Amino acid sequence: MEKLRSMIQRQEPILPVNVVDGSVTVSNLTKFKYLAIYFAFNLGLTLYNKALMSQFPYPFLLTALHAAFGCIGTHVLLVHGDFTLSRLTSKDVLMLSFFSILYTANIAISNMSLSLVTIPFHQAVRATTPVFIVAIYAIFFSSTYGSATYYTLVPVIAGVGFATYGDYQATLFGFLITLLGAVLAAIKTVATNRIQTTGLHLSAMEILYRMCPLALLQSLSMAYFNGETDAFLQYAFDSGKFGNQDITVLIVNGAMAFGLNLASFAANKKVGALAMTVAANVKQALAVVLAVVFWRLTVGIMNAFGIALTMFGGFWYTRVEMAEQLASVGTSASAAAAMEDGKAGQFHEYFEPDRNEGKVGMARWDFKVTDTEDDDQAGMAYWDFGATDLHMDTDEGEPE
């Protein structure tokens, strides 16, 4: 136990983990930078895809295009030396295979829903994703957020509904597909966070490098069996309508999708799964604002109220998260002090993992000791050194 304590004390900086969604506690400026990049790519690609689907109504082929650009982009980054590959077990490879299926299904369903419903309806349904995030953590991980966090989700979700209110058009099938997309988006967001923070500790680039080839094969297979491949070939070659301008549009779309995937994975690790979906909702309100500015979209009082409500909810959520972050830091420091004083408590610390270089990853210490000097300590320590896969478990005796 003394060895582990000294190892923990030598590492700087010590950053507490959010025990709910595993997000690393980083500075607010860092979170803002990651979310700003994610905002730009997400908003741009959403509008781009909607315009593209009217001319290129092949959602599975579009998903294959995104996966192909993921393969090309990550290969270039690997050759350039921006990341190195980790040694994975067969279990790790199987996990990434299942994740690739989820990744493919999420993109394909989202693209499909955009072709079945109007953008306002799509945005309103997708705004419910935070609810599914909360449900997933509560049901599968027995983790709950503070009551204040739940309160902030009300204006964040309802605000998008008001902001996009108007041209709601959808069939029953379109509604179900869009709702399924929201559920899959929640599952994918949680899975992305878990793989990076509490699972394989892979970087965003390596996850995409290993996952995109599988997603490409899956998307092409789905496009073939769905009849999209034959329809596209007939459109492209028989009709002669597919030209250089169409190729350029698809290349730009694929490049944007690659940028969004990198930004999304990296931001997810820094801010957590729920924060990502809250940010996505705020993005929906910003999309309406941009439509007003650039496309002279006319909004009513209800739409303006929805935009303001969403922005307020996002601001409120940020304030609550900041308060909980400060409380987490204080709790961690108090627990460390309690450990030194021989008092009962719980100690959770996190160090930024670097799997490729084998540096210290994460430390977890659950301990319970008594105030009497005659009783022994009892505790459990978990230490993960990333690539070295060194784990330590200690139990120095149960108190009488």
Side-chain angles (χ1 to χ4, degrees), residues 13-177:
I14 294 177
L15 301 174
V17 150
N18 182 330
V19 296
V20 177
D21 61 12
S23 60
V24 182
T25 303
V26 297
S27 68
N28 293 320
L29 179 60
T30 299
K31 290 184 177 182
F32 174 78
K33 290 178 180 178
Y34 277 90
L35 287 177
I37 297 174
Y38 165 73
F39 263 37
F41 278 108
N42 195 340
L43 183 59
L45 191 63
T46 297
L47 298 176
Y48 202 113
N49 279 349
K50 180 59 181 179
L52 182 61
M53 287 301 293
S54 61
Q55 302 296 326
F56 191 83
Y58 312 107
F60 291 116
L61 286 179
L62 187 60
T63 303
L65 174 72
H66 294 174
F69 269 80
C71 295
I72 297 172
T74 52
H75 181 74
V76 172
L77 292 174
L78 178 63
V79 173
H80 190 261
D82 291 293
F83 71 99
T84 57
L85 298 179
S86 306
R87 181 178 299 176
L88 301 181
T89 65
S90 56
K91 182 180 178 181
D92 297 335
V93 174
L94 181 62
M95 181 186 300
L96 286 177
S97 298
F98 281 116
F99 183 72
S100 70
I101 296 175
L102 176 62
Y103 169 87
T104 303
N106 176 63
I107 297 178
I109 293 299
S110 178
N111 290 337
M112 181 184 298
S113 65
L114 281 171
S115 65
L116 297 172
V117 302
T118 57
I119 283 185
F121 186 84
H122 180 271
Q123 292 174 323
V125 175
R126 292 292 289 236
T128 61
T129 303
V131 174
F132 298 114
I133 292 284
V134 170
I136 289 171
Y137 276 114
I139 296 172
F140 296 100
F141 302 105
S142 300
S143 298
T144 58
Y145 293 84
S147 57
T149 299
Y150 294 130
Y151 297 150
T152 65
L153 297 182
V154 175
V156 168
I157 296 173
V160 174
F162 287 115
T164 59
Y165 179 78
D167 187 20
Y168 282 175
Q169 296 181 20
T171 62
L172 177 60
F173 179 71
F175 165 71
L176 294 177
I177 289 296

Side-chain angles (χ1 to χ4, degrees), residues 374-388:
D374 296 332
D375 289 326
D376 295 327
Q377 283 186 331
M380 183 279 287
Y382 176 83
W383 194 265
D384 185 353
F385 281 82
T388 60

Side-chain angles (χ1 to χ4, degrees), residues 333-345:
S334 299
M339 180 179 65
E340 295 297 328
D341 294 338
K343 297 178 181 179

